[in-house]
Amino acid sequence: MGEIFDIAVIGAGVIGSAIARALSRYAGSFAVIERTHDVGMGASVRNSGVIHAGINCIPGTLRAEYCMEGRALLQDWCEELNVPYGICGKLVVARAEEEIPGLERLMRDGEANGVPDLRIISGEEAETIQPGVTCVAALHVPTSGIVSPYALTIAMAEDAAANGVRFFLGSAVSGIAPGADGFTIETTTGPIGARFLVNSAGIHAGRVAGFLDPEAPEIHPCVGEYLILDRQAGEAMSTSIYPAPAAANAGLGVHITPTTEGNILLGPSSEYVSDPETSCCTKVTTDRLLDEASVMWPGLPRHLVIGAYAGLRSKLTSPETGGFSDYVFRRTPEHPNAIHLLGIESPGLTAAPAIARHVVDDLLASDVGLRTKPAGEIRTRRWPDRFDELPEDEKKRLVAADPDHGDIVCRCEGVTRAEILHAIDNPLGVRTLSGIKFRTRASMGRCSGGYCLPRIVEILQEEFGWSPGDFQLRGPDSPAFVGRLLEEDHVCAHS
Amino acid sequence: MSARTREADVVVIGGGPAGLASAASAADAGAKVVLVDRNRELGGILNQCIHDGFGLHAFGEVLTGPEFAARYIDRAFDAGVEVHPNTTVAELEASRELVCTTLGERYPLRAASVVLAMGCRERTRGMLQIPGTRPAGVYTAGTAQWLTNMRNLRVGKKILILGSGDIGLIMARRLTWEGAEVVGVVELLPYPSGLPRNITQCLEDYGIPLHLSHSATCIHGRERVESVTVARFDGRRQPVPGTEFEIECDTLLLSVGLIPENELSRRVGVRLDATTSGAFVDDRHMTNVPGVFSCGNVLHIHDLADWAAEEGARAGTQAAAYALGGPAKGGAKPIRIEPGDGIRYVVPQTASRGSKELLVSFRVTAPDENRTAEVLADGRVLASEDLRRAHPAEMVQMKVGCADGLDADRLEVRLT
């Protein structure tokens, strides 16, 4: 049996990473066990990146409570971690008269949840808020916002790691054995012991819970596909645009959302899938996303699509039922020291810090023996500023201080060599190409890495002596290259 | 570093064939020229083009890419061009004031005229919206070429190539030579988009199948490419149901088109042509922004580096004349040059009234044989040329002489 931790968190998505960060403010030994080779690689980075205002949660539910509490906490955490976010507001648009009751219902629920400043406005007024939007009426939600979901998840996890939380990446859980004083978690990289256990495994949470709790409910993965538009398109869009929901408790529908970096997202679709490993973008859905978004935004520049992705919702509601179920925090009498977080779908990103706080409160009330760390022992690791977004004077100063800031590696997103080197030097030890991408935005732009991939490869070969096998997209199973042409890398002299 | 010039007559952005030739000819015309290039070595994409076939038109010789580049690099240095390598232009103003950035220094640079010669980039999977999973092993052909030829890396063992652009065809042969199995080239159009000579020399000579009127409908494989579903596509570019088949491979290369890299141009207010995605230029290669010139692949995609270099040389001469002689006489409204029947685009888009000679570059819309290309002035034929073979992959150039000075309301290039 391997090391024994006070608490093990299974799953390093936005929820697991938030819990890890909350735990890192306490003295104790904490482990995060994650099956992929970076944090947040599931739904946490493949969503709309929205800070929800709280209009789409049924009053009195945990979803509503954690959304409202989470949105305030989230903004505090973003400030502490330097994670990009913004309160850009949202328009929920009625495309026909018969959709207006849907807006009124959202407004009632929102007001019951304590969402301020909600107003139903005319189509004309909506267009003054967001030029180009087409509707008969809209619900204006000024407190809705956006956050970079990957920056948030990675920043929380890296802050946790920098403050003593151990991350076991590439460790898929294959079994959990209860013992006299806790659990032995079997993983693909060896067993890990823990006195307490938090299961935040997202779409895999049902399966993980099943190792201890045969009655645990099943999680139904439901794929949501998105399209990404060039930042050139983003100049036209400053507010999120959502369609009026089709029915009470229905999904959010295909919406148009600006990102904190100035792109625009279209999506998500909603389709239950039997095999979560095959999440995949399809032509039918892509066309539908564009068509549905065009109804609300007739000027949608279709030719500026630069990418697509698909995320998986962790739903407790079956394909037959659809809609939302409430979040489930499950502890059984047989294994009271295991907390299973089930069905954490939208607004999970918004709710994450609140969920983390409640989980930690539960653990504080248990006999883990958590003690608050003295403030002097906490060193918050801040997400780096993006060089490209700094004022010219600041750029000059940084280049003078660190010559590597003078070398632009990714021209689409303006990422410097210094930023690439900083990303490789992350406290989680992530060394994948995708890890560099999510930490810097290099290759997230319009050329998808055509320009910067060669330059990143060059840096890794020359600075770190990487061999072909060291280059992996997401981990050992996704090698970027299959070998060398010549046995020796030919070194050419640069004049 | 500090020895770098901060002020020049002409600044050329980009050190590929067009930029090098442009810088050399501007310097030959007496201008003080600075060439800014983001790569460590001059030559642009030519450095990774280790195959031959360059220089036939420019030098009457068969050269490799690096050999061809070396000719123009020597020319630029001999002419006295000051090179700022490993340097990116971060900002460009219509006043021709630039901010350049390199290791350890971010510095201003000012010029009387600027030549845009930034080249192009490759179209990506994201732009095509190819459905499927997102595994490792999907590369654009040019990126794969760089990784192969410059970084000694094998991108894969079993390769499928989507698109029959020239880089993809060259890579089919290159990877075959290196022991990879190239399982096929898939092209959406009913005819190849690369040069006919490359179809023969890179595919037919090696027995690599070319699937015309076909495209990829789905990429499979969770971590690394495992296979690609391919289907026949109809005339409206839609997949024909029931024609799908799966091709096993570990790598998908995309050779599906090039896009002029005009981000900097757009920021400075250069007006772009929706067809070429390059600037609108007059017959001096000047854009709508006075003193800002454009040439090479950033202006329109060329089939041969020889043509890009020749265009660069012409633009460089004009940029020097502008810098040394001040803004040219305005006055006469330029004449619009438009593509007519059978022509996709024409560059330049306008001609100066009174010009004695005009050079037009254009591409046809579809493959054809035994046609005549004509340049018309208000319906009157100014010049014509018989095209035994017309192909969209091949750029056509025509010289139009008009001893009395060009004068018309409108010029048109058409195929008859």
Side-chain angles (χ1 to χ4, degrees):
Chain A
M1 159 122 178
E3 266 179 275
I4 300 174
F5 292 86
D6 290 332
I7 300 168
V9 177
I10 300 174
V14 69
I15 305 297
S17 299
I19 293 168
R21 177 172 196 250
L23 287 174
S24 72
R25 270 49 186 170
Y26 293 88
S29 63
F30 312 117
V32 178
I33 303 166
E34 166 57 40
R35 117 198 134 88
T36 69
H37 296 265
D38 199 347
V39 299
M41 290 294 102
S44 303
V45 298
R46 299 189 171 87
N47 57 66
S48 308
V50 164
I51 303 176
H52 284 280
I55 55 166
N56 216 313
C57 305
I58 296 168
T61 60
L62 288 179
R63 280 179 69 230
E65 182 190 336
Y66 293 166
C67 178
M68 296 310 293
E69 188 185 331
R71 55 169 285 111
L73 265 181
L74 183 74
Q75 293 171 66
D76 294 345
W77 285 31
C78 284
E79 293 288 344
E80 289 166 31
L81 293 168
N82 198 36
V83 167
Y85 78 101
I87 301 302
C88 60
K90 174 191 291 188
L91 291 169
V92 187
V93 301
R95 292 148 296 183
E97 293 290 334
E98 52 269 31
E99 289 185 337
I100 294 176
L103 301 184
E104 289 163 347
R105 196 181 62 245
L106 287 181
M107 183 153 152
R108 276 196 306 276
D109 284 356
E111 284 175 341
N113 290 335
V115 181
D117 306 325
L118 295 174
R119 274 192 322 131
I120 291 181
I121 58 175
S122 67
E124 293 76 46
E125 190 178 347
E127 212 184 338
T128 63
I129 293 170
Q130 176 55 63
V133 67
T134 296
C135 60
V136 297
L139 174 63
H140 186 220
V141 190
T143 54
S144 180
I146 51 175
V147 61
S148 170
Y150 50 88
L152 175 68
T153 305
I154 296 169
M156 292 190 302
E158 290 191 356
D159 183 43
N163 284 285
V165 176
R166 289 270 304 281
F167 281 76
F168 294 84
L169 301 179
S171 303
V173 173
S174 53
I176 302 173
D181 185 30
F183 307 94
T184 301
I185 303 153
E186 297 296 338
T187 82
T188 45
T189 55
I192 296 164
R195 293 168 52 222
F196 285 77
L197 188 157
V198 180
N199 167 12
S200 55
I203 56 164
H204 301 282
R207 183 177 59 82
V208 169
F211 292 130
L212 293 172
D213 175 7
E215 305 295 308
E218 193 187 343
I219 302 290
H220 304 277
C222 178
V223 71
E225 296 182 27
Y226 288 86
L227 293 173
I228 311 167
L229 299 191
D230 193 296
R231 287 201 290 172
Q232 201 186 316
E235 291 157 15
M237 186 64 53
S238 58
T239 312
S240 300
I241 306 174
Y242 281 57
N249 201 33
L252 305 179
V254 174
H255 45 264
I256 304 165
T257 311
T259 72
T260 49
E261 292 80 16
N263 296 92
I264 290 179
L265 305 176
L266 306 181
S269 58
S270 178
E271 196 177 339
Y272 281 92
V273 287
S274 49
D275 179 6
E277 302 300 329
T278 59
S279 78
C280 180
C281 295
T282 59
K283 177 155 170 39
V284 174
T285 308
T286 300
D287 291 346
R288 197 169 59 72
L289 294 182
L290 286 166
D291 290 344
E292 287 189 22
S294 297
V295 175
M296 300 184 287
W297 183 21
L300 170 71
R302 289 173 178 243
H303 65 286
L304 292 179
V305 173
I306 59 166
Y309 59 90
L312 288 165
R313 303 173 182 85
S314 306
K315 293 189 84 72
L316 285 169
T317 47
S318 67
E320 294 72 36
T321 325
F324 290 106
S325 157
D326 201 5
Y327 296 160
V328 170
F329 286 34
R330 188 175 171 94
R331 289 175 95 158
T332 62
E334 293 78 19
H335 303 292
N337 293 348
I339 306 174
H340 304 286
L341 309 180
L342 303 167
I344 315 294
E345 52 171 317
S346 178
L349 181 69
T350 310
I355 291 173
R357 175 186 272 184
H358 284 272
V359 167
V360 171
D361 283 350
D362 276 8
L363 291 165
L364 285 170
S366 312
D367 56 351
V368 193
L370 291 181
R371 284 172 298 104
T372 310
K373 268 187 199 167
E377 281 179 26
I378 297 167
R379 295 186 66 88
T380 301
R381 181 183 160 91
R382 283 169 65 80
W383 188 251
D385 285 325
R386 284 196 64 218
F387 181 88
D388 194 46
E389 291 173 359
L390 297 172
E392 184 62 31
D393 286 352
E394 182 65 7
K395 286 180 177 167
K396 276 210 178 74
R397 196 188 63 74
L398 279 178
V399 173
D402 181 351
D404 286 335
H405 271 306
D407 189 10
I408 306 291
V409 173
C410 162
R411 44 100 200 263
C412 300
E413 299 294 311
V415 181
T416 71
R417 180 184 174 89
E419 290 179 286
I420 301 286
L421 294 174
H422 180 267
I424 294 164
D425 186 29
N426 67 77
L428 297 174
V430 174
R431 297 289 181 270
T432 60
L433 295 172
S434 129
I436 293 170
K437 166 176 142 179
F438 283 113
R439 281 164 181 78
T440 63
R441 286 187 62 78
S443 84
M444 277 195 181
R446 53 181 70 97
C447 89
S448 301
Y451 180 71
C452 68
L453 174 65
R455 284 169 184 252
I456 292 169
V457 165
E458 196 170 276
I459 291 171
L460 296 170
Q461 283 182 326
E462 293 178 3
E463 292 282 323
F464 301 97
W466 279 27
S467 309
D470 295 328
F471 294 91
Q472 300 163 355
L473 179 60
R474 287 187 287 263
D477 294 330
S478 58
F481 309 121
V482 299
R484 288 187 173 88
L485 279 77
L486 307 170
E487 242 165 72
E488 299 276 323
D489 285 334
H490 174 68
V491 181
C492 56
H494 295 294
S495 48
Chain B
M1 291 280 167
S2 54
R4 287 185 167 191
T5 296
R6 301 297 171 88
E7 193 149 355
D9 296 321
V10 178
V11 166
V12 178
I13 307 174
L20 286 165
S22 172
S25 70
D28 284 342
K32 181 181 174 187
V33 182
V34 170
L35 171 64
V36 184
D37 187 49
R38 63 193 183 190
N39 294 311
R40 292 196 289 208
E41 286 152 289
L42 290 172
I45 225 71
L46 289 166
N47 289 324
Q48 70 188 54
C49 298
I50 60 172
H51 54 281
D52 65 14
F54 298 90
L56 264 170
H57 294 277
F59 303 106
E61 291 178 60
V62 179
L63 304 172
T64 64
E67 288 169 339
F68 182 81
R71 301 279 174 109
Y72 286 96
I73 293 169
D74 288 349
R75 238 180 226 192
F77 279 109
D78 289 348
V81 173
E82 180 179 318
V83 175
H84 296 192
N86 209 9
T87 301
T88 302
V89 174
E91 305 291 343
L92 171 65
E93 304 287 339
S95 56
R96 278 92 77 205
E97 285 165 298
L98 296 82
V99 175
C100 299
T101 178
T102 186
L103 274 173
E105 200 179 7
R106 196 172 169 96
Y107 60 96
L109 181 62
R110 181 199 289 268
S113 61
V114 169
V115 179
L116 306 172
M118 293 89 76
C120 57
R121 64 165 179 269
E122 299 178 279
R123 288 186 74 200
T124 65
R125 176 187 178 181
M127 293 173 192
L128 298 181
Q129 296 164 39
I130 306 170
T133 52
R134 318 201 64 73
V138 180
Y139 296 101
T140 54
T143 297
Q145 187 178 46
W146 192 92
L147 294 165
T148 306
N149 293 345
M150 307 299 281
R151 300 314 305 181
N152 195 24
L153 291 164
R154 283 183 192 279
V155 293
K157 293 176 178 160
K158 202 165 182 181
I159 323 269
L160 178 67
I161 300 177
L162 179 64
S164 57
D166 287 310
I167 310 169
L169 301 177
I170 295 289
M171 282 306 286
R173 181 178 63 180
R174 177 80 182 104
L175 293 172
T176 303
W177 284 346
E178 289 300 339
E181 183 189 354
V182 179
V183 292
V185 174
V186 176
E187 169 59 55
L188 175 65
L189 298 171
Y191 52 86
S193 53
L195 293 170
R197 74 173 191 208
N198 284 333
I199 298 293
T200 314
Q201 294 171 9
C202 299
L203 299 188
E204 289 169 7
D205 287 0
Y206 299 91
I208 297 169
L210 170 63
H211 306 274
L212 295 173
S213 300
H214 279 74
S215 193
T217 57
C218 194
I219 296 173
H220 307 278
R222 197 162 72 89
E223 300 287 349
R224 175 87 198 188
V225 176
E226 289 168 13
S227 67
V228 175
T229 305
V230 167
R232 190 153 61 75
F233 276 61
D234 63 21
R236 292 171 298 114
R237 301 192 181 181
Q238 293 300 313
V240 179
T243 62
E244 299 88 0
F245 58 100
E246 205 163 319
I247 299 182
E248 212 179 284
C249 55
D250 65 11
T251 306
L252 178 67
L253 295 192
L254 304 178
S255 184
V256 288
L258 301 171
I259 303 168
E261 187 129 279
N262 272 303
E263 275 63 34
L264 211 50
S265 327
R266 194 178 286 116
R267 289 221 299 264
V268 77
V270 167
R271 185 178 163 221
L272 301 181
D273 181 322
T275 308
T276 59
S277 300
F280 263 84
V281 291
D282 62 20
D283 48 357
R284 295 171 299 169
H285 285 92
M286 192 162 85
T287 68
N288 61 306
V289 181
V292 176
F293 296 76
S294 179
C295 60
N297 276 352
V298 78
L299 178 58
H300 59 126
I301 301 302
H302 291 63
D303 51 346
L304 298 178
D306 298 51
W307 301 139
E310 281 189 9
E311 189 174 270
R314 291 193 301 274
T317 305
Q318 296 292 344
Y322 182 94
L324 301 174
K329 70 292 159 197
K333 195 167 164 282
I335 310 168
R336 185 86 174 81
I337 312 174
E338 285 170 347
D341 283 348
I343 305 295
R344 199 158 76 83
Y345 73 78
V346 186
V347 170
Q349 289 85 350
T350 63
S352 312
R353 225 164 275 274
S355 294
K356 305 277 189 227
E357 195 182 79
L358 176 67
L359 181 74
V360 291
S361 304
F362 58 89
R363 286 187 193 244
V364 300
T365 49
D368 213 334
E369 285 177 352
N370 301 319
R371 302 292 294 268
T372 302
E374 292 179 339
V375 180
L376 304 155
D378 296 336
R380 184 170 51 85
V381 177
L382 282 186
S384 70
E385 190 174 313
D386 292 334
L387 301 179
R388 195 173 54 79
R389 188 183 63 188
H391 198 285
E394 293 177 304
M395 196 176 92
V396 187
Q397 292 192 332
M398 272 176 73
K399 263 203 182 97
V400 183
C402 26
D404 308 334
L406 205 55
D407 189 26
D409 289 333
R410 178 177 172 275
L411 295 176
E412 182 187 314
V413 180
R414 72 172 184 198
L415 223 49
T416 59

